[in-house]
Amino acid sequence: MFLSYERALARRPLFVKTATGMLLGVSGDYTAQRLEGGTSYDSRRGLAFGSLATIWNGPCIHYLFGGLERHLPRSGGVRTLVPKMLVTQLLVNPFGYLPLFYTWTGAVLGRTPAQTLEKARREYWVTLKATWIFFVPFNVVNFSLVPVRHQAATLAAFSFFYATTISAIA
């Protein structure tokens, strides 16, 4: 199975990473909904989280990690790891991912802009801290040990756990 995945990843990396992000994003939200004890599955919420994961863990991360690798190659060790961590944790997550998260899920869930902004104000710091708690140690390992071609897919797999957490917060 891994060889089939490798071949598909080599032929169509963006498609494979996008499909992986979608599958794991929907699964993470489904798991969160089950853990919350709901009696029925909220498909609109699943669509919000699944579609966001599709876009973020597919094209966004594919191009972001590719660009980071071009400018800060893994072969640079700690000298390039630290700037990668600073970019992802202090720029991308607070100013890219989280604004996209609140805007996207708010729109899909039918919230008004005012409701979306209020929700973001109420939850932003808790969500950002959860992001740092999960992704700082993960990205150290991901950027240091995982082959570049697998970093986005590995992130998508790890995002299952993150998606479960962030979905539960939301």
Side-chain angles (χ1 to χ4, degrees), residues 5-6 9 17 20 57 61-62 64-70 72-75 81 84 88 135 138-159:
Y5 178 82
E6 275 293 300
L9 185 61
K17 293 170 190 177
T20 302
N57 290 322
I61 292 300
H62 172 78
L64 173 65
F65 283 9
L68 286 173
E69 183 58 25
R70 275 190 301 286
L72 300 164
R74 188 170 105 160
S75 61
L81 173 64
K84 279 183 182 177
T88 57
F135 285 100
F138 171 78
N139 277 333
V140 167
V141 172
N142 196 28
F143 290 143
S144 300
L145 302 176
V146 176
V148 175
R149 72 182 181 281
H150 292 294
Q151 287 178 355
T154 302
L155 175 69
F158 185 78
S159 291

Side-chain angles (χ1 to χ4, degrees), residues 38-114:
T39 57
S40 63
Y41 178 70
D42 182 346
S43 58
R44 192 167 188 183
R45 178 176 143 172
L47 175 64
F49 283 92
S51 59
L52 176 63
T54 300
I55 291 166
W56 185 256
N57 290 322
C60 292
I61 292 300
H62 172 78
Y63 291 113
L64 173 65
F65 283 9
L68 286 173
E69 183 58 25
R70 275 190 301 286
H71 297 289
L72 300 164
R74 188 170 105 160
S75 61
V78 173
R79 187 175 42 89
T80 57
L81 173 64
V82 171
K84 279 183 182 177
M85 295 301 297
L86 292 173
V87 167
T88 57
Q89 301 309 314
L90 299 180
L91 293 175
V92 173
N93 285 334
F95 301 110
Y97 177 73
L98 288 180
L100 176 65
F101 167 77
Y102 285 108
T103 303
W104 186 272
T105 58
V108 174
L109 293 171
R111 293 186 186 118
T112 67

Side-chain angles (χ1 to χ4, degrees), residues 4-53:
S4 296
Y5 178 82
E6 275 293 300
R7 284 191 295 273
L9 185 61
R11 281 193 312 269
R12 299 186 66 198
L14 183 57
F15 175 80
V16 170
K17 293 170 190 177
T18 301
T20 302
M22 177 188 65
L23 175 67
L24 292 168
V26 170
S27 299
D29 180 65
Y30 178 83
T31 302
Q33 288 190 42
R34 297 283 67 94
L35 291 173
E36 291 166 10
T39 57
S40 63
Y41 178 70
D42 182 346
S43 58
R44 192 167 188 183
R45 178 176 143 172
L47 175 64
F49 283 92
S51 59
L52 176 63

